[in-house]
Amino acid sequence: MIVRIAQYPLKKRLLYGIASTAGVLLAQQVLASIAHGRLTFLLISASLPLITVLFGAWSGALLLTTGVAYGALWLQPIGSFAVDEQPDRIVLLAFTVVGGLLIAAGQQLAKVARRAGRAEAATRDAADRLLQVERDARHRFDVALDSAGVPFFIVTPVVRERHIAELRWDFLNEAAMQLFNPAAGVVIGSSTAYVRPTGWDTDLLLDRLAPLAERDGRDAFDVRVQGDDGEQWFHVVAASLEGSVVAWFGNITPRVRAEQALSEADRRKDEFLATLAHELRNPLAPIRQVAEILEQPGLTDQRTKWCITVLRRQSAAMALLLDDLLDVSRITRGALTLRKETVALREVLDDAVEIARPLLEAKAHEIVVELPPRPLHIQADRLRVAQVLGNLLTNAAKYTPPGGYIELTATADDAEIVLSVADNGIGIESDKLSAIFLMFSQVNPDHHREGGLGIGLALSKSLMELHGGRLTASSAGKDRGSCFSIHLPAQCRVVPAPVPTRDAPAIAASVGKRRILVVDDNVDAADALTALLELEGHEVRTVYSGEEAIGILTHFSPEVILLDLGLPGMSGIDVAQCIRATPATKDVTMIAITGWGQPQDRERTAKAGFDFHFTKPVDVAQLSQAIESAVAAT
């Protein structure tokens, strides 16, 4: 107790010293009153060690002196410092000697108290430092595990009847917590039987981890999880830890999927090589046979012509196979370059139909081509777009029973241009739609075999992506037809540049009579153009401002509008946008007539919805071709 008090601050020690001294003096005063002062002063010696320990030897000496004086006053004669009786003198001397010894003992005790206090303080500081070190180590451990990004957990077994009945979550880092459903609530302390990562199996955790809690060791295994994001795979590495189990587990789904993809690619490669051998043998067989026929004597001219036809047809088939292979190789190496040009969409569709026409006619298919109501020009590689459309038409012909129906349509809006090939053929099952654009993929390699290497759709998809577009497929199911669509961005749409001026402009006699509206604030220019168009047989109306143009559309429905851009008040761009925004006139063919002919001017007219852009003075032959194109598109 004294050692503990000695470590208190000075104020606290002073309070304890005053209190203890006051208590001793009070007790002494009581005894002195009862015993008439005889020897009661000796009671003061009881506080000497305490006072010495608390305040040092000088305080003990002061208290001892006070005690001697106090005793002298209460010994005979009372009230005087003189001590007459020999026994009293002996008692007083004994008190002094004993008091001195008590003061010396108090000094030693003070030293012991200080050493004990320093030892206790050092022990307490060491304990505090150890606790802080432990906290820092735990914090670093938590930070390291959380920042690793790899799920980590510790589980402790719950034993019932000498058997591990379940496991309890004792620790999880942040990466592991992300795998739990937020609705799971508190995870730490919960049983794995009730709270576990989404999609994980309870029995698997218990069966694989419980043995590690009973004996030292480690284990590694893969876990397949069917979660909200589909099938996922985790690789778990677990080890024993003093009756618990620690485990790391990493998401190996990308690796597993890559391995599956490699396996699938290897399988498709083998199928491709077998198909390639088959497809090359098909034309080689008749070529070899024709070569033998040509060696026969007495060959008629008719038979020779037939042999030549067969050789040309079969060599063309081989050339197509090789072209597809070379195109795929170029795209893979990034060596394929598009040759973009401004081309009428109608011409691209015509080229595609010509590519597929032999197969379409051979199987007696009905093909319907639907074009937009307005002429449409795109900036694209004409050969490649026609090649893709031709491939889609050929596939539709292959997988549609004889006498089927195939529709080729083209639509355009502000977002994109869509070219679609739809048929009423064998269709595509929903689980195969995602795989048909893979290299060497066959829609159905066992039925409806029509030849091909399985690279046509993959090649077509890559070609469209080079154009900044995409290729999509849809089907209602088996035997319910399919639809393949090319989606080109709206930026592909352009206003065509004028064709070279003819040496001798002539009025096209083949152009039928059309309703035309001429809008120009230059009266002479407008009237002259009107007269020229009327000579060609067209029905023409003429206005000289944008407001008049909008007004006349309420009672006159033109098929073609020739519009000047630099109109006073409402500009030609404003008029064009208003016309396109009106349902009744949104499909009318608009031709810009302007003095502005820079590329940025053509971009402005294309965005405003113009179909053609001509600079003044307008070439009559070019204008007639534009009107003829517009007529053909309606």
Side-chain angles (χ1 to χ4, degrees):
M1 180 65 181
I2 295 176
V3 173
R4 173 66 63 184
I5 294 174
Q7 298 175 29
Y8 288 163
L10 178 60
K11 288 185 178 180
K12 201 169 184 180
R13 284 186 285 133
L14 185 59
L15 289 175
Y16 272 104
I18 294 172
S20 61
T21 303
V24 170
L25 291 176
L26 180 62
Q28 178 176 298
Q29 187 65 38
V30 172
L31 290 174
S33 300
I34 296 173
H36 303 290
R38 173 63 67 177
L39 298 179
T40 56
F41 66 90
L42 295 177
L43 187 62
I44 198 170
S45 63
S47 62
L48 284 174
L50 175 62
I51 296 301
T52 302
V53 169
L54 294 179
F55 304 107
W58 66 270
S59 59
L62 179 61
L63 183 59
L64 178 60
T65 303
T66 303
V68 171
Y70 184 81
L73 287 174
W74 282 95
L75 293 173
Q76 293 298 328
I78 296 175
S80 172
F81 288 108
V83 181
D84 297 336
E85 300 293 333
Q86 185 66 27
D88 290 340
R89 293 176 181 176
I90 295 173
V91 170
L92 193 61
L93 179 61
F95 172 79
T96 304
V97 173
V98 171
L101 293 175
L102 289 176
I103 292 173
Q107 285 183 301
Q108 295 302 316
L109 189 59
K111 294 179 181 179
V112 172
R114 285 194 294 272
R115 286 197 296 269
R118 286 195 295 269
E120 183 178 358
T123 301
R124 187 167 56 251
D125 291 342
D128 291 342
R129 286 196 298 272
L130 287 175
L131 181 60
Q132 187 61 40
V133 168
E134 181 182 355
R135 289 173 179 171
D136 293 343
R138 180 60 182 265
H139 177 68
R140 287 193 295 269
F141 176 74
D142 291 344
V143 171
L145 290 178
D146 288 337
S147 62
V150 179
F152 173 82
F153 64 84
I154 300 176
V155 292
T156 299
V158 177
V159 180
R160 297 192 186 96
E161 299 179 357
R162 303 176 64 182
H163 176 72
I164 297 179
E166 60 185 28
L167 300 172
R168 183 183 68 244
W169 300 106
D170 273 0
F171 176 83
L172 298 106
N173 66 352
E174 288 187 6
M177 289 295 295
Q178 298 300 321
L179 300 176
F180 286 80
N181 190 322
V186 178
V187 178
I188 303 298
S190 301
S191 170
T192 59
Y194 305 104
V195 180
R196 56 189 177 275
T198 304
W200 284 56
D201 181 64
T202 306
D203 295 334
L204 175 66
L205 288 172
L206 188 61
D207 294 344
R208 298 305 294 258
L209 300 182
L212 296 175
E214 297 176 320
R215 55 175 173 78
D216 291 339
R218 65 187 304 275
D219 190 12
F221 54 92
D222 292 339
V223 178
R224 177 181 173 273
V225 176
Q226 190 65 36
D228 297 336
D229 298 331
E231 184 181 77
Q232 291 187 316
W233 290 86
F234 294 89
H235 182 68
V236 182
V237 178
S240 304
L241 179 64
E242 299 178 354
S244 298
V245 180
V246 297
W248 298 89
F249 57 103
N251 191 333
I252 59 172
T253 303
R255 190 196 76 188
V256 173
R257 289 178 179 171
E259 291 173 352
Q260 293 173 345
L262 286 174
S263 177
E264 177 66 15
D266 188 61
R267 183 190 64 79
R268 290 200 309 270
K269 181 257 301 178
D270 292 340
E271 290 183 359
F272 164 72
L273 292 177
T275 303
L276 178 60
H278 174 270
E279 294 298 324
L280 289 177
R281 287 192 184 100
N282 278 341
L284 284 175
I287 288 174
R288 182 173 181 178
Q289 293 166 0
V290 166
E292 294 178 355
I293 292 174
L294 290 174
E295 291 178 349
Q296 301 298 323
L299 201 64
T300 64
D301 292 341
Q302 184 178 1
R303 178 62 66 180
T304 302
K305 290 180 180 179
W306 176 84
C307 290
I308 294 173
T309 301
V310 170
L311 289 173
R312 286 176 176 171
R313 184 166 57 246
Q314 297 304 323
S315 61
M318 292 185 67
L320 287 176
L321 293 176
L322 294 175
D323 285 343
D324 282 349
L325 288 173
L326 290 174
D327 283 344
V328 169
S329 175
R330 293 190 191 101
I331 291 177
T332 303
R333 292 182 290 108
L336 184 64
T337 303
L338 298 179
R339 295 179 176 84
K340 291 187 176 182
E341 59 180 329
T342 299
V343 59
L345 186 62
R346 175 168 53 87
E347 296 176 2
V348 177
L349 269 58
D350 290 343
D351 292 345
V353 172
E354 286 302 315
I355 292 174
R357 188 176 300 280
L359 186 56
L360 292 169
E361 293 179 348
K363 299 190 72 172
H365 291 315
E366 177 187 359
I367 181 169
V368 176
V369 179
E370 292 189 3
L371 293 167
R374 298 162 44 207
L376 186 62
H377 293 78
I378 60 174
Q379 188 76 19
D381 189 320
R382 174 175 178 171
L383 176 64
R384 296 302 182 182
V385 177
Q387 176 185 351
V388 172
L389 274 175
N391 180 51
L392 297 181
L393 287 170
T394 301
N395 282 346
K398 284 181 181 180
Y399 296 103
T400 300
Y405 177 82
I406 298 174
E407 185 177 27
L408 173 59
T409 61
T411 59
D413 56 29
D414 294 337
E416 60 183 3
I417 301 166
V418 182
L419 312 177
S420 298
V421 176
D423 62 64
N424 61 347
I426 66 172
I428 306 171
E429 297 175 7
S430 58
D431 60 338
K432 294 181 179 179
L433 274 174
S434 60
I436 59 176
F437 293 113
L438 298 176
M439 192 66 69
F440 316 134
S441 174
Q442 297 281 351
V443 174
N444 194 330
D446 299 324
H447 301 89
H448 308 284
R449 183 68 178 170
E450 294 289 348
L453 299 178
I455 62 177
L457 288 177
L459 174 61
S460 298
K461 180 175 180 291
S462 298
L463 288 173
M464 288 302 97
E465 289 174 349
L466 288 175
H467 279 84
R470 55 195 174 95
L471 181 61
T472 61
S474 61
S475 176
K478 187 177 180 181
D479 298 324
R480 300 185 66 179
S482 58
C483 178
F484 288 82
S485 299
I486 295 173
H487 301 260
L488 293 172
Q491 290 79 4
C492 288
R493 180 174 180 172
V494 294
V495 173
V499 297
T501 305
R502 298 178 181 178
D503 294 335
I507 298 176
S510 61
V511 178
K513 181 179 179 181
R514 298 297 164 186
R515 296 187 304 277
I516 301 176
L517 174 64
V518 176
V519 185
D520 196 333
D521 63 318
N522 187 319
V523 177
D524 291 338
D527 292 343
L529 184 56
T530 299
L532 178 62
L533 295 172
E534 286 176 343
L535 288 176
E536 293 181 353
H538 300 299
E539 179 183 352
V540 186
R541 296 289 187 275
T542 307
V543 294
Y544 307 105
S545 68
E547 290 79 5
E548 289 180 287
I550 298 300
I552 197 174
L553 292 177
T554 59
H555 57 273
F556 179 66
S557 300
E559 297 171 275
V560 180
I561 299 178
L562 307 181
L563 183 58
D564 181 29
L565 298 185
L567 298 174
M570 192 175 188
S571 70
I573 295 294
D574 296 334
V575 174
Q577 293 173 341
C578 183
I579 291 173
R580 291 297 182 221
T582 305
T585 57
K586 65 183 181 64
D587 293 328
V588 67
T589 299
M590 286 195 301
I591 301 175
I593 307 293
T594 178
W596 304 97
Q598 297 299 314
Q600 58 269 27
D601 300 319
R602 296 184 179 277
E603 290 179 6
R604 288 177 59 228
T605 53
K607 290 181 180 179
F610 283 92
D611 300 294
F612 297 92
H613 182 119
F614 292 117
T615 54
K616 296 179 180 180
V618 180
D619 180 80
V620 177
Q622 295 176 5
L623 183 59
S624 297
Q625 288 179 358
I627 295 174
E628 181 180 2
S629 174
V631 170
T634 58

